[in-house]
Amino acid sequence: MSTPSLASYIMKRPWLKRWMQPLSEWYKDAAGYRKLGLRADDLIPEESETVLLALKRLPPKEAYDRVFRLRRAFQCSLAHQLLPKNEHTRPEEDTLYLSPIIKQIEAERQEKEDLDVMTIKKKKPAKA
C-alpha cells in the first residue's frame, strides 16, 4: 500500500498546500466516485493481506455501510446511472476510515519484523 507520494512534501509547506487544495478538491470531484455514493477508502483494492486484515478490524456498522455503498455503486454502474444529487457523498462525509487501520497494521508488521531480526548481545564478564 505504501507508494511514493508528494503529500508529505506539500503538507510541510503551507503556501503549497493552499495552492494545491482547490486542485485536490476538483480532482476528487472529477474522479466520480462520490457521484456513486462511495468514499475514497472504498476504492482501495482488497487484494492484499493487510487490507483484508484491516477489513476484519472494522466495526460492524462501518463494515455494513461499506458493503452497502459498494453494492449500490455496482448497481448504478450496471444501470449506467448516477445516484440522485441528494445521495452523492458530500466532501465532509468522505473521511478516511480504512487507511488509519491499514497504517496501524503496517506499523505492527514493521515492529514485529524489527523485533524478529533483533539480536541480543550479552556482555562478557569483566576479569578482575
Side-chain angles (χ1 to χ4, degrees):
M1 164 104 185
S2 299
T3 57
S5 174
L6 291 174
S8 61
Y9 179 81
I10 293 170
M11 297 302 279
K12 289 178 186 174
R13 290 154 181 83
W15 64 272
L16 191 55
K17 182 181 175 185
R18 280 192 307 272
W19 187 74
M20 294 297 286
Q21 192 68 32
L23 184 62
S24 168
E25 293 301 323
W26 172 83
Y27 181 79
K28 287 179 189 176
D29 190 47
Y33 66 88
R34 289 180 177 169
K35 294 175 184 170
L36 293 172
L38 295 173
R39 290 184 182 175
D41 278 358
D42 293 335
L43 305 176
I44 298 174
E46 299 177 13
E47 298 166 354
S48 75
E49 210 174 293
T50 305
V51 176
L52 291 174
L53 184 57
L55 289 171
K56 289 179 185 176
R57 290 187 185 183
L58 277 178
K61 174 150 180 30
E62 192 66 53
Y64 176 82
D65 290 346
R66 180 178 195 276
V67 170
F68 175 77
R69 287 190 303 269
L70 290 171
R71 287 185 179 175
R72 183 174 60 173
F74 185 69
Q75 288 295 322
C76 288
S77 178
L78 286 176
H80 298 285
Q81 295 178 343
L82 297 176
L83 289 174
K85 188 83 168 166
N86 63 341
E87 293 184 31
H88 289 189
T89 303
R90 292 186 295 279
E92 58 273 6
E93 293 174 343
D94 193 7
T95 57
L96 302 177
Y97 66 94
L98 194 59
S99 295
I101 299 172
I102 292 172
K103 287 178 184 173
Q104 177 186 9
I105 292 170
E106 287 176 344
E108 289 171 3
R109 287 206 172 133
Q110 184 63 42
E111 181 181 9
K112 182 182 182 308
E113 184 179 316
D114 291 345
L115 290 173
D116 288 345
V117 176
M118 185 171 60
T119 58
I120 300 173
K121 295 181 182 179
K122 291 185 180 181
K123 288 186 177 181
K124 294 182 182 179
K127 294 183 183 178

